[in-house]
Amino acid sequence: DVLREKLAPHAAEPWMAATSLEVMEQSIQGCQRCALGATRNKLVFGSGNPKAKVLVIGEAPGADEDEQGFPFVGRAGQLLTKMLEAVQFDRTKDVYIANILKSRPPNNRDPKPEEVEQCEVYLWKQILLLEPKLILCLGRVAGTNLLKINETLGKMRGGVVHQFYGIPTLVTYHPAALLRNPDWKH
Ligand code: URA
């Protein structure tokens, strides 16, 4: 399909040969495709159930994630974990969680276009391996970079069902935004 065609230029790269997320993770541990490879502590590939029907996508690792090597383990991550639990979702069983960027941007600045361009091929390959039935993007950065649309969060969220190469995709608030604005939680 179209996503496979977009990855065709990378066919000769070792990570493209992976037939599981676990093998793929091992193959990109030393990634230096962008400058963030020089400053990160741990590459944050993703976590959860590789057979989950739902893929949750965040922005990029923060300080806690960079230290531990897993997505959404800091304060925002703890809120995400609780929000999933509130709808009877166990983050280790019912979802897979990944980010647009696998390496931490210094001072948590927004991802640069060239960083997204280098890193998004990994997310696309993860999506081909996972075959999620639904994608949930957390925040404007995740939504605009995955969907390639230049919209505000307000226009992307609120029951709008987007499509990512045939996969229904929702966009909602980033949990870090909900920590700042608890009124938005409902
Ligand atoms: N924020 C994100 O967008 N991703 C993480 O993994 C952690 C915090």
Side-chain angles (χ1 to χ4, degrees), residues 20-75:
S20 73
L21 289 164
E22 294 85 346
V23 167
M24 185 189 164
E25 177 166 10
Q26 292 310 311
S27 71
I28 69 165
Q29 281 306 308
C31 181
Q32 298 291 341
R33 289 176 64 89
C34 82
L36 299 179
T39 52
R40 72 160 178 261
N41 181 15
K42 289 191 177 156
L43 185 143
V44 178
F45 181 79
S47 74
N49 183 351
K51 292 183 174 153
K53 292 186 170 68
V54 177
L55 169 63
V56 178
I57 302 177
E59 176 174 335
D64 296 298
E65 292 77 20
D66 177 67
E67 213 170 88
Q68 299 179 42
F70 298 102
F72 285 103
V73 292
R75 236 179 119 231

Side-chain angles (χ1 to χ4, degrees), residues 2-3 6-7 10 57 59 99-101 111-124 127 135 137 139-152 156 162-165 167 169-171:
V2 187
L3 199 49
K6 284 179 73 85
L7 282 169
H10 303 278
I57 302 177
E59 176 174 335
N99 285 304
I100 299 285
L101 293 191
K112 291 182 182 176
E114 63 263 34
E115 293 160 357
V116 173
E117 191 185 327
Q118 292 303 315
C119 208
E120 66 189 354
V121 292
Y122 293 151
L123 184 59
W124 297 344
I127 291 170
I135 296 173
C137 290
R140 181 173 189 275
V141 170
T144 56
N145 284 295
L146 184 81
L147 297 168
K148 305 298 177 194
I149 52 175
N150 188 12
E151 287 285 7
T152 63
M156 289 188 288
H162 304 268
Q163 294 288 327
F164 182 75
Y165 300 103
I167 305 165
T169 301
L170 302 176
V171 184

